[in-house]
Amino acid sequence: MSTTKSNDFIDTMAEWFAKFPELPKTWPQTLVKITPMLAIIFGILGILVGISGLGVLTAFSPIAYLGGVSGYGTGYVSALIYLLASVLLLMAYPGTKARKYSGWKLLFWSEVASLIGGLISMSIISAIIGALIGFYLLFQIRSYYK
């Protein structure tokens, strides 16, 4: 996706979330202060859980195959997408710490990857609710990143 299309997509979503009520004045400032630490903590935890998930899927797939269970491919794809989302969180750390828009965009794309991973893993309701909350908070703090 080109930068222009990427920015158009983000701007379109910003218009949608602009219709939501704003957070109280001090909340976005607090979120901006803790976002870098949240990015690094959840990035590390996500990588550890993602690698563990891939290990469990790999260990139990022969047993599942013998038992007639199918659909392990979606588990692998979901785990890889969650790993991607976690790597994006870690990559966002320096940018969010310096309050750069590039860091905010990495947070945005991490949230998109998490939504896709949730939809693929068939956790549709929780993926949508989590994405709505995540995008709402992201667009509440977007103006603090230049």
Side-chain angles (χ1 to χ4, degrees), residues 11-132:
D11 291 340
T12 301
M13 286 191 67
E15 290 174 19
W16 298 342
F17 283 93
K19 298 173 184 171
F20 285 61
E22 289 187 22
L23 290 172
K25 292 284 184 200
T26 58
W27 290 23
Q29 296 166 356
T30 303
L31 280 172
V32 169
K33 288 178 187 172
I34 65 171
T35 295
M37 290 311 298
L38 291 175
I40 202 159
I41 290 168
F42 286 109
I44 291 170
L45 288 174
I47 287 175
L48 293 174
V49 169
I51 291 172
S52 299
L54 286 173
V56 168
L57 284 169
T58 301
F60 288 110
S61 62
I63 297 167
Y65 178 76
L66 292 174
V69 176
S70 63
Y72 261 82
T74 59
Y76 282 112
V77 172
S78 294
L80 290 172
I81 291 174
Y82 286 133
L83 276 171
L84 170 67
S86 299
V87 168
L88 289 172
L89 283 175
L90 289 176
M91 290 171 57
Y93 173 76
T96 55
K97 188 170 173 105
R99 293 194 184 180
K100 292 183 178 177
Y101 185 67
S102 59
W104 183 91
K105 278 179 76 170
L106 287 169
L107 292 176
F108 175 85
W109 290 113
S110 173
E111 189 63 38
V112 169
S114 293
L115 172 61
I116 293 169
L119 295 175
I120 289 173
S121 69
M122 302 304 287
S123 304
I124 296 170
I125 303 278
S126 62
I128 291 172
I129 291 171
L132 284 173

Side-chain angles (χ1 to χ4, degrees), residues 17 21-23 28 135-144:
F17 283 93
E22 289 187 22
L23 290 172
F135 286 127
Y136 171 73
L137 293 174
L138 278 173
F139 284 107
Q140 290 291 307
I141 63 172
R142 180 181 181 197
S143 63
Y144 290 85

